[in-house]
Amino acid sequence: MTLPVDFRHHLLLRCGVVADGDRCLSILKTLDTAERRRWRVKMLYLVITTDSDTCSSLAAEKGIRILKTPQELLAQSSLDFIMEMTGDADLLAQLARDKPSSVGLLDHHAAELFLDQFRKGDPATSRDSEISLATSFASALLEASPDTVMVIDRNYRILNCNDSEMLTGGKGRDSVIGRHCFEAVYNALQPCSRIDRVCPMDKAIETGRPARGVHEMRMPDGTLRISQVTTYPLVNHAGEIIQVVDVIRDITEDVSERIEARTRAIKDDLNRFVQEDRLVTLGRLVASVCHEINNPITSIVTFNKLILSHIKEDQLPPEGLKAFERYLEMSIREALRSGTIVNNLLTFARQKGVESGPVDLNEMVGTIMMLLGHQMDKTELRREVRLPESPFGAYGDYAQIQQVLMNLISNAIEAMPDGGTLTIEGGDEEGHDRIWLAVRDTGCGIAQEDLQRIFEPFYSTKTGGKGVGLGLSMVYGITREHNGTVVVDSTLGEGSCFKITLPAGSQDAALADGETTR
């Protein structure tokens, strides 16, 4: 591939310089020349160890930031290398000790040799000199980079490299120079062309611009490392790409930290959404429970009015004191029923931290059915609960598992506005320390095109603003967090069945199940 003569390769290096006032002007002019030519070296920061107003003014004009101390320079995150130009051995040692591992360091001797490349005039006088200069420049960078760096020709052969442990395995650079890059790095027989390992070099040669990819590398000890591979094309005076520089950076720890941070954020979001969803559910329950409480209160008032009327008339009812006893017993029973309803509602509303332990599913289902009883009575739903006798339980957080069942049962009730049958079944999975629960309805069902998306956050098939699409996403998130599963089987117009599995009701079983599912 031939590119225009005025093409500039894109090996852009960002540097910081520590120098005294006398050298600053010379360095600024040299790097300014470099930026206009083929080698792109951008000075971002400058530390002037002696006063020089002229140097400071020129640097400011070029947009270079003046820092007061070398320590400030070390705190910058956007540097590829630092040039120490004062010749101060103590300062050089300090920079070498405190700099980030990703930042290279050139002492004043190496820096002068580096700058000499730009003081020798235009290197594009011949093809051979261009190749020599490109190779020499890239070779100088090998020693300054903490990453794996290779100079590769267009036939994928390694012309030069640094002695990186990731590349040579401690055997020295001579063990890989002359080999194909795909052989040395990935132990492959042909260039990278898989979907999961696209070759940045091919892309860089095709486009004439730097290319980047993320690859998995298996180390000699069998461990997998994640690396970021960046390829920079090098061109000659005729604009032809003659070689490339491959920079391989190990980003395993960075990726792991980001994944862990993302996982923590997802868990925090899940807990927050669960609580918000519980508040929405609580609002619906309060409206339903008000009717449930009103009935026994009305009965209590009626019985007490009867007792009071007989006392005022100073006469006993035909049954005598037995009637008073019956009235009082019925009042007590209704009062206790009201108390049970209120206690169940308070238990559901109470905010607690995530606490895992054995959960009695028979008791939990019974509580939910009582809280939702009025909603089912309004539509004359038939209810069938077929659960094993106690002890039948799961291991997990009580409030979160309760929220899962509350959402599934509430959805089933809403799917049958004109009546139907609600069935709750459960059992133990044979050969596994797991239990299963199924909530089945004979309602409207779910269309096939919606089945694939019903667990997505904020996706809802309910109309009229009746849902925000968080209920089933909560069900999915909580069951996965408990090392469980949730599946759905539905036919439009016939009904739906949601089946969840959870670890059985002991900590040992839950831990064993967690190891199995990971």
Side-chain angles (χ1 to χ4, degrees):
M1 176 179 178
T2 302
L3 297 173
V5 174
D6 63 347
F7 176 82
R8 300 293 183 261
H9 75 74
H10 296 266
L11 185 55
L12 173 62
L13 298 174
R14 300 159 298 182
C15 75
V17 175
V18 182
D20 55 36
D22 294 337
R23 293 190 179 182
C24 280
L25 288 175
S26 174
I27 297 170
L28 286 170
K29 292 178 181 178
T30 300
L31 292 183
D32 185 47
T33 301
E35 246 188 86
R36 293 196 303 267
R37 292 183 182 173
R38 206 168 298 276
W39 310 113
R40 299 189 61 198
V41 181
K42 180 70 174 178
M43 186 194 302
L44 299 181
Y45 306 101
L46 176 62
V47 179
I48 307 174
T49 58
T50 59
D51 293 336
S52 176
D53 295 337
T54 304
C55 187
S56 298
S57 299
L58 182 59
E61 289 176 5
K62 296 179 177 297
I64 299 171
R65 185 178 169 187
I66 305 297
L67 303 178
K68 295 182 179 179
T69 64
Q71 287 72 22
E72 289 186 60
L73 181 61
L74 294 173
Q76 308 306 316
S77 59
S78 56
L79 289 177
D80 293 309
F81 70 100
I82 296 172
M83 290 193 294
E84 193 288 304
M85 302 292 292
T86 66
D88 187 329
D90 292 336
L91 177 57
L92 179 67
Q94 178 187 355
L95 292 173
R97 182 184 67 247
D98 298 337
K99 73 176 182 65
S101 59
S102 60
V103 177
L105 176 64
L106 300 179
D107 65 9
H108 70 288
H109 294 298
E112 287 292 350
L113 291 174
F114 178 76
L115 294 173
D116 279 345
Q117 301 296 324
F118 310 114
R119 296 174 181 141
K120 292 179 179 179
D122 188 358
T125 55
S126 69
R127 179 184 178 90
D128 292 339
S129 65
E130 179 72 21
I131 295 175
S132 176
L133 180 57
T135 305
S136 299
F137 181 74
S139 299
L141 296 179
L142 299 179
E143 304 305 326
S145 175
D147 303 318
T148 299
V149 182
M150 299 180 291
V151 180
I152 306 172
D153 65 17
R154 294 187 58 138
N155 294 318
Y156 306 100
R157 290 198 179 274
I158 301 174
L159 304 178
N160 203 351
C161 66
N162 59 359
D163 192 4
S164 165
E165 181 73 20
M166 179 179 288
L167 177 63
T168 68
K171 298 179 181 179
R173 69 179 71 187
D174 292 339
S175 64
V176 297
I177 290 178
R179 298 178 62 191
H180 291 108
C181 56
F182 51 83
E183 293 177 321
V185 179
Y186 304 109
N187 197 29
L189 298 177
Q190 56 187 352
C192 304
S193 59
R194 301 182 345 210
I195 294 177
D196 61 338
R197 197 165 70 211
V198 177
C199 179
M201 175 176 169
D202 289 344
K203 188 174 181 180
I205 292 176
E206 177 185 351
T207 64
R209 300 183 62 83
R212 180 171 293 172
V214 176
H215 294 174
E216 282 189 352
M217 299 176 60
R218 185 170 295 278
M219 306 306 292
D221 60 2
T223 60
L224 281 176
R225 309 294 294 179
I226 301 174
S227 61
Q228 176 181 279
V229 183
T230 306
T231 299
Y232 301 91
L234 300 178
V235 301
N236 62 10
H237 67 283
E240 300 170 333
I241 298 177
I242 52 175
Q243 299 166 1
V244 299
V245 175
D246 255 18
V247 180
I248 304 177
R249 175 166 294 182
D250 188 348
I251 59 172
T252 307
E253 293 183 3
D254 292 340
V255 171
S256 299
E257 290 175 359
R258 292 187 181 186
I259 291 175
E260 291 176 2
R262 183 58 180 160
T263 301
R264 288 194 298 270
I266 291 174
K267 289 183 178 180
D268 291 341
D269 288 343
L270 175 62
N271 292 333
R272 177 167 56 84
F273 285 145
V274 167
Q275 187 57 37
E276 290 176 358
D277 195 51
R278 285 174 67 81
L279 291 176
V280 174
T281 305
L282 182 61
R284 295 198 300 262
L285 289 178
V286 168
S288 176
V289 166
C290 285
H291 182 83
E292 289 290 319
I293 295 177
N294 187 57
N295 287 338
I297 289 177
T298 301
S299 299
I300 293 171
V301 171
T302 301
F303 294 143
N304 281 274
K305 281 183 177 180
L306 285 172
I307 295 173
L308 184 61
S309 65
H310 286 299
I311 292 176
K312 285 183 177 181
E313 294 173 2
D314 197 20
Q315 63 177 4
L316 293 174
E319 300 176 38
L321 291 175
K322 287 290 186 181
F324 282 175
E325 183 178 340
R326 183 164 57 86
Y327 294 157
L328 290 172
E329 286 178 350
M330 295 179 71
S331 295
I332 292 172
R333 185 172 65 249
E334 292 298 293
L336 291 175
R337 187 160 74 93
S338 297
T340 300
I341 294 173
V342 172
N343 284 334
N344 286 335
L345 187 61
L346 290 175
T347 298
F348 181 82
R350 187 174 298 117
Q351 295 188 24
K352 299 189 302 180
V354 178
E355 297 177 0
S356 295
V359 176
D360 186 341
L361 294 177
N362 283 297
E363 177 270 333
M364 179 180 287
V365 171
T367 298
I368 294 174
M369 297 296 279
M370 175 180 291
L371 289 173
L372 299 177
H374 176 60
Q375 295 182 35
M376 290 184 278
D377 291 340
K378 286 195 302 183
T379 54
E380 299 181 353
L381 285 181
R382 293 183 298 276
R383 313 162 201 178
E384 297 181 7
V385 178
R386 297 194 287 265
L387 298 178
E389 295 182 359
S390 295
F392 173 62
Y395 187 87
D397 179 72
Y398 184 96
Q400 291 192 356
I401 294 176
Q402 183 188 52
Q403 184 68 21
V404 167
L405 294 180
M406 180 68 76
N407 283 341
L408 292 179
I409 296 173
S410 295
N411 285 349
I413 295 172
E414 292 178 359
M416 298 181 287
D418 300 321
T421 301
L422 170 66
T423 305
I424 301 175
E425 301 175 291
D428 298 308
E429 287 194 344
E430 294 185 8
H432 301 85
D433 290 324
R434 299 172 67 80
I435 58 91
W436 62 272
L437 277 170
V439 178
R440 191 187 312 273
D441 66 70
T442 57
C444 57
I446 305 171
Q448 289 298 314
E449 58 267 23
D450 292 323
L451 277 176
Q452 297 179 351
R453 301 189 59 191
I454 57 174
F455 294 114
E456 295 179 10
F458 306 109
Y459 183 79
S460 176
T461 59
K462 298 176 183 178
T463 58
K466 294 182 179 179
V468 295
L470 283 177
L472 288 178
S473 67
M474 292 298 99
V475 170
Y476 180 82
I478 293 172
T479 52
R480 288 295 301 269
E481 185 68 17
H482 283 73
N483 293 317
T485 62
V486 55
V487 295
V488 58
D489 182 24
S490 183
T491 302
L492 196 63
E494 296 183 10
S496 305
C497 177
F498 285 83
K499 181 179 180 181
I500 63 172
T501 63
L502 294 168
S506 68
Q507 187 172 10
D508 292 340
L511 292 174
D513 182 73
E515 292 298 327
T516 302
T517 57
R518 272 194 284 274

